[in-house]
Amino acid sequence: MKPTNTPRVALLQTLWDLDPAVNLARTLALLDTVQDVELIILPEFFLGPPFYFPGRAHLKGVIDQPVPGPVIDQLAEVARAKGCYILCGTVIEREEDRYYNTSVLLDDQGRIAAKARKTHRFAAEMVTVSPSDELVVLDTPFGRLGICVCSDFWIPEVPRTLAMRGAEIIAVPGAALRGNIQITRPCLQANSSFNVCYTLLASAVGEVSGERAGRQVSIAVAGHSTVAAPEQLLGSLDEEEGVLLAQLDLERIRELREVDLSFRNSLYFCLHGRRPELYQELLKPYTGHQDLESLITDYLTSRS
């Protein structure tokens, strides 16, 4: 792939079926419609809700897999055929007796360029999957790319750290919860402004229900895949299955990150104006801190 400062990106928004094979087929069909892009991003859980979601326990050993594995191998063929990078949403990676919520980046030759495991687990993930301690940023032919796996994005220190390490594009393979949907686009826009970057959310749409901790629980995700630039939203979907296309301008990002003493542009201040010596409290727990992992573990186990 030739280097470019104006990459075209495609975000796939998929609809959940209860059958992982149907979800894979739908994803491959959508991929087949995408042409002439540098980067494709799939949603978190593009194979459907994982085995630790309500009513999905029967999929343990079915939907989880090693990386590389059968699904990643199929997507690698697509990446080679299209000559583009694919951020493979997430799969539940099985490694011996451990599980990870993992996003695999394939390059244009179908090789694994990076593997980003979720660092900030959400809800039942705290008792099911292991966390990573690594934040992933890497150089690509289309700019410096950082990866936030869904709930990692909602810890502001994560995209901030990626931007401080030079990420010009922050990709978020996600499953946007319906309860948060009204703030999803504003938060994506704010992240792009505060960190002077592009933020790309690819999300799934669907709902699953079942018993958890002795009661019926539903989890609904509502799409809203979005491409946010520092100064505007470049495009967004609602809850339809589809592909969101956008063209990025990395020279504009680099321009906005440069100090402008004429003060026509001021977003550089978000990066250059920091006073890190004042932020030591960030290394300490929140003043109202509770041990979230213990609370969730006790809740899920005491009523099961």
Side-chain angles (χ1 to χ4, degrees), residues 216-275:
Q216 284 295 118
V217 175
S218 294
I219 296 176
V221 296
H224 283 57
S225 298
T226 297
V227 175
E231 300 165 301
Q232 62 180 320
L233 294 181
L234 297 185
S236 192
L237 300 177
D238 291 319
E239 297 187 29
E240 69 273 22
E241 181 180 63
V243 177
L244 176 62
L245 296 170
Q247 186 161 30
L248 313 185
D249 182 354
L250 298 184
E251 288 296 334
R252 181 58 176 163
I253 294 295
R254 293 160 191 166
E255 176 186 347
L256 291 173
R257 287 181 170 187
E258 289 293 325
V259 175
D260 177 13
L261 296 179
S262 71
F263 307 114
R264 289 189 299 269
N265 296 323
S266 62
L267 288 180
Y268 70 85
F269 187 74
C270 300
L271 299 176
H272 293 273
R274 298 168 62 252
R275 293 185 59 196

Side-chain angles (χ1 to χ4, degrees), residues 172-224:
V172 186
L177 292 171
R178 181 173 296 283
N180 292 337
I181 213 66
Q182 294 305 312
I183 63 171
T184 296
R185 288 173 181 144
C187 286
L188 293 164
Q189 175 69 78
N191 182 74
S192 292
S193 299
F194 291 149
N195 291 312
V196 198
C197 66
Y198 288 102
T199 310
L200 282 52
L201 166 70
S203 177
V205 180
E207 185 170 359
V208 65
S209 300
E211 186 175 294
R212 172 182 283 174
R215 64 189 181 98
Q216 284 295 118
V217 175
S218 294
I219 296 176
V221 296
H224 283 57

Side-chain angles (χ1 to χ4, degrees), residues 5 7 90 93 119 126 152 174 181 204 223 225 250 255 261 284:
N5 289 324
T90 71
E93 178 188 6
T119 57
M126 289 189 174
D152 288 340
I181 213 66
S225 298
L250 298 184
E255 176 186 347
L261 296 179
K284 300 177 183 178

Side-chain angles (χ1 to χ4, degrees), residues 26-252:
R26 284 179 174 174
T27 299
L28 292 172
L30 278 178
L31 281 169
D32 194 47
T33 69
V34 178
Q35 303 293 332
D36 301 322
V37 299
E38 278 71 37
L39 173 65
I40 301 173
I41 304 175
L42 308 183
E44 184 182 37
F45 308 136
F46 67 92
L47 293 176
F51 66 81
Y52 50 82
F53 272 33
R56 304 291 282 176
H58 62 286
L59 290 178
K60 189 171 185 178
V62 176
I63 202 168
D64 47 280
Q65 58 191 271
V67 173
V71 171
I72 298 301
D73 289 346
Q74 287 189 67
L75 294 174
E77 292 180 10
V78 177
R80 281 192 295 272
K82 293 186 176 295
C84 69
Y85 280 60
I86 299 179
L87 185 60
C88 303
T90 71
V91 296
I92 304 306
E93 178 188 6
R94 183 177 68 248
E95 186 177 80
E96 297 180 347
D97 60 346
R98 291 189 156 212
Y99 299 93
Y100 299 90
N101 189 352
T102 301
S103 187
V104 176
L105 179 68
L106 300 169
D107 70 11
D108 56 329
Q109 301 301 310
R111 300 168 300 202
I112 294 178
K115 187 166 70 170
R117 291 166 165 171
K118 183 180 282 190
T119 57
H120 295 80
R121 300 161 298 161
F122 186 73
E125 289 183 325
M126 289 189 174
V127 297
T128 309
V129 302
S130 299
S132 171
D133 293 326
E134 179 185 9
L135 301 180
V136 175
V137 184
L138 73 158
D139 289 314
T140 73
F142 47 85
R144 193 154 171 82
L145 176 70
I147 303 170
C148 282
V149 180
C150 197
S151 52
D152 288 340
F153 172 78
W154 294 95
I155 302 295
E157 290 85 353
V158 176
R160 183 59 150 182
T161 299
L162 298 178
M164 295 304 297
R165 290 171 57 188
E168 299 163 315
I169 303 167
I170 294 178
V172 186
L177 292 171
R178 181 173 296 283
N180 292 337
I181 213 66
Q182 294 305 312
I183 63 171
T184 296
R185 288 173 181 144
C187 286
L188 293 164
Q189 175 69 78
N191 182 74
S192 292
S193 299
F194 291 149
N195 291 312
V196 198
C197 66
Y198 288 102
T199 310
L200 282 52
L201 166 70
S203 177
V205 180
E207 185 170 359
V208 65
S209 300
E211 186 175 294
R212 172 182 283 174
R215 64 189 181 98
Q216 284 295 118
V217 175
S218 294
I219 296 176
V221 296
H224 283 57
S225 298
T226 297
V227 175
E231 300 165 301
Q232 62 180 320
L233 294 181
L234 297 185
S236 192
L237 300 177
D238 291 319
E239 297 187 29
E240 69 273 22
E241 181 180 63
V243 177
L244 176 62
L245 296 170
Q247 186 161 30
L248 313 185
D249 182 354
L250 298 184
E251 288 296 334
R252 181 58 176 163

